């Protein structure tokens, strides 16, 4: 059951990123083409593309964590014995988890504080853009919980035929 939930979460997360990146690329491409062919550009294109990039960043952070694509310094737990290495990795997981939860809390406060501000071109409430932060941190926490056991036990991340740590880092 938990495995099915994990697969569904990863699939939804990936497809949402794919759709957002595709839409962002289409908007930017159309704006560039219009600018060079007609001399006019889409007024809202740059703003919407920027907001989509914010959402992609926060939605993609959990997937990058899952596949080991974030910057990591692993010299210490590689230099010590297996028991000490597991303890170090457990502290790292606890620290990252605590960071995600604290950032979720403070980003919710930030979203609440900006609920009356609107964007310049589209007049969308800034809270709709900034809600990417708590959603992203909660997703990262969920991905962390799914990989924590394997990471603490042997320092491994999720293996995938279509994505490794280098590919995840490029998201």
């Amino acid at each position: 059951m938990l495995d099915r939930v994990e697969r569904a979460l990863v699939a939804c997360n990936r497809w949402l990123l794919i759709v957002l990146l595709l839409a962002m690329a289409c908007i930017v491409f159309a704006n560039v083409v219009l600018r060079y062919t007609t001399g006019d550009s889409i007024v809202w294109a740059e703003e919407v593309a920027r907001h989509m990039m914010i959402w992609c960043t926060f939605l993609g952070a959990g997937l990058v964590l899952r596949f080991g694509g974030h910057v990591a310094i692993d010299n210490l737990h590689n230099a010590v014995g297996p028991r000490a290495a597991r303890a170090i990795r457990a502290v790292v997981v606890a620290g990252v988890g605590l960071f995600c939860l604290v950032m979720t809390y403070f980003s919710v406060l930030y979203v609440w504080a900006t609920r009356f501000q609107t964007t310049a071109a589209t007049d969308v409430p800034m809270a709709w853009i900034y809600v990417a932060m708590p959603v992203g941190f909660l997703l990262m926490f969920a991905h962390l919980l799914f990989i924590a056991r394997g990471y603490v036990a042997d320092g491994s991340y999720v293996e995938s035929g279509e994505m490794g740590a280098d590919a995840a880092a490029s998201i």
Side-chain angles (χ1 to χ4, degrees):
M1 171 70 178
L2 196 58
D3 189 45
R4 239 178 29 207
V5 170
E6 181 181 8
R7 278 186 280 138
L9 175 74
V10 170
C12 289
N13 200 172
R14 279 185 178 178
W15 279 106
L16 191 55
L17 279 172
I18 290 167
V19 168
L20 276 172
L21 284 170
L22 181 63
M24 186 175 59
C26 289
I27 289 169
V28 170
F29 179 75
N31 194 36
V32 169
V33 168
L34 283 173
R35 186 180 313 127
Y36 285 105
T37 58
T38 66
D40 291 325
S41 62
I42 304 169
V43 176
W44 49 265
E46 187 270 331
E47 182 178 282
V48 170
R50 184 177 346 114
H51 298 155
M52 290 175 137
M53 179 66 78
I54 291 168
W55 271 93
C56 285
T57 299
F58 283 100
L59 292 179
L63 283 177
V64 174
L65 175 77
R66 167 179 213 80
F67 294 108
H70 286 292
V71 174
I73 301 171
D74 56 2
N75 293 355
L76 182 58
H77 73 88
N78 287 338
V80 297
R83 239 177 108 170
R86 278 193 297 277
I88 290 169
R89 288 191 295 264
V91 168
V92 168
V93 166
V96 171
L98 181 64
F99 173 78
C100 289
L101 293 176
V102 168
M103 289 305 295
T104 299
Y105 172 75
F106 284 107
S107 61
V108 166
L109 294 179
Y110 190 72
V111 168
W112 185 254
T114 61
R115 70 189 180 280
F116 298 119
Q117 296 176 5
T118 59
T119 61
T122 57
D123 205 35
V124 171
M126 290 302 290
W128 286 104
I129 289 96
Y130 292 145
V131 80
M133 292 185 296
V135 169
F137 283 117
L138 280 177
L139 265 175
M140 194 177 339
F141 184 71
H143 284 293
L144 177 69
L145 291 178
F146 283 123
I147 69 161
R149 179 182 288 161
Y151 178 72
V152 170
D154 58 8
S156 66
Y157 294 97
V158 173
E159 296 291 326
S160 172
E162 53 196 44
M163 186 175 301
D166 292 335
S170 69
I171 289 182

